[in-house]
Amino acid sequence: MAGIELLRREGLEVVFPQAQTCCGQPAWNSGHAAEARAVARAQVALFREPWPVVVPSGSCAAMMRRHYPQLFAGEPDLPEVEALAARVHELTEFLVGVLGVKLEDKGEPVRVTWHASCHALRELGIRDEPKALLGQLANVELVGLERERECCGFGGTFAVRFPEISAAMVEDKAADVAATGAGEVLSGDCGCLLNIGGKLARTGSAVRARHIAEFLWERTRGG
């Protein structure tokens, strides 16, 4: 909802098809291509209008933009799928690259750190956009992670298939977050936030894990 409010404030009408579901990535990553296509086709049918599709998740946006065309290679509806993929934007890249938003900080001084989602970073090339948004907030101190580009260990089905490796990876990430002295760790993917936030909570840390959209909306809405 915070992402929707950020877009509305820029004068956009946000249309949210109520029937939308998962993008199909879990099935695709697990090798179930037919099942993934069935889920993806349902999404394609809902987003036929030639409007930008803004996704508050680097993981889902990467699936729709990068992997949908791969998933439908050789299928008769590939052109329709490619047309949708070309209109998909991750939220922060849309706010910065398309809308050029200007933010005014209305919050108290706070220190935060940023976790770069693997899919946003490696598949969509999103590196500077989130930091550009945070950099506009006068009372926000952004402290970098020493191991920012390391995976948190979630990886969707990876955490289920390799729980011991995943647990070791998130332990490293949580320790890195704690070392910054930040009160909040921000990211653009809820899977990462669930994993990192869960680990921090289990260690008794007071650091909050939050989606960047929620943070931006809270800092700039006033009142």
Side-chain angles (χ1 to χ4, degrees), residues 30-206:
S30 299
H32 301 292
E35 290 82 354
R37 275 193 292 272
V39 175
R41 282 192 174 105
Q43 310 320 305
V44 173
L46 289 170
F47 293 94
R48 295 190 187 279
E49 297 290 346
W51 305 329
V53 178
V54 182
V55 186
S57 162
S59 180
C60 300
M63 177 63 190
M64 298 176 76
R65 191 158 88 197
R66 294 287 304 278
H67 298 300
Y68 271 16
Q70 298 172 2
L71 181 62
F72 283 87
E75 296 290 322
D77 45 353
L78 176 61
E80 186 179 8
V81 170
E82 289 179 326
L84 170 62
R87 293 185 282 113
V88 171
H89 304 262
E90 186 270 343
L91 176 63
T92 64
E93 69 174 354
F94 190 78
L95 291 174
V96 173
V98 178
L99 299 182
V101 300
K102 302 300 180 184
L103 302 174
E104 180 184 354
D105 194 356
K106 299 179 180 179
E108 297 297 321
V110 66
R111 174 183 288 186
V112 304
T113 192
W114 171 257
H115 165 70
S117 152
C118 288
H119 289 94
L121 180 66
R122 294 174 173 83
E123 296 196 334
L124 298 178
I126 296 171
R127 296 177 175 83
D128 301 325
E129 291 88 344
K131 294 178 181 179
L133 292 167
L134 296 171
Q136 295 183 40
L137 304 177
N139 289 329
V140 174
E141 178 187 1
L142 177 61
V143 183
L145 291 172
E146 289 292 330
R147 307 166 76 160
E148 179 186 323
R149 297 194 176 192
E150 287 188 16
C151 177
C152 73
F154 181 65
T157 55
F158 177 87
V160 178
R161 293 176 179 175
F162 307 102
E164 295 85 2
I165 299 174
S166 176
M169 293 170 73
V170 76
E171 184 172 354
D172 289 343
K173 181 65 68 170
D176 195 6
V177 169
T180 65
E184 303 189 43
V185 55
L186 309 175
S187 186
D189 262 298
C190 289
C192 301
L193 292 168
L194 179 69
N195 196 35
I196 299 170
K199 179 61 178 179
L200 290 168
R202 288 192 296 275
T203 61
S205 172

